[in-house]
Amino acid sequence: MGMSTRIKGFAPPDERWQQMKTIWDACRAAHIDPPADVERFFDGAEPNPHGQEVDIPHREWQDDHRQGVEIQTDDIPENVKVIRFYNSW
């Protein structure tokens, strides 16, 4: 069993998040499905009050004595304020 490294970004709630959450809540209160763009915004899950988890593009990296992952800073979405690296076995 090997180890894998995951990288996730987190974007705190902002004005756009709050607008989408308002639509989500109104649709749920009316017992109707939210519009597709709102569903996509929240990845089909209940909105997280702490903000959104965002995939951070990255690639495996290694040289003769080391290995890891690297991220191009231009690939990080502007709304991401925290990047979390974690390992799983």
Side-chain angles (χ1 to χ4, degrees), residues 20-82:
M20 294 296 213
K21 175 76 163 72
T22 299
I23 296 167
W24 179 280
D25 290 344
C27 290
R28 292 297 185 219
H31 303 287
I32 61 173
D33 291 333
D37 58 334
V38 175
E39 289 268 354
R40 276 191 305 275
F41 185 82
F42 292 116
D43 291 328
E46 188 74 26
N48 182 333
H50 301 290
Q52 289 180 271
E53 187 174 299
V54 178
D55 287 326
I56 301 292
H58 61 281
R59 68 182 187 110
E60 300 293 321
W61 168 89
Q62 71 179 42
D63 65 13
D64 291 337
H65 305 286
R66 302 168 292 180
Q67 68 179 28
V69 294
E70 66 181 19
I71 299 169
Q72 297 292 321
T73 56
D74 289 344
D75 292 339
I76 301 170
E78 283 185 35
N79 61 340
V80 169
K81 302 299 180 204
V82 173

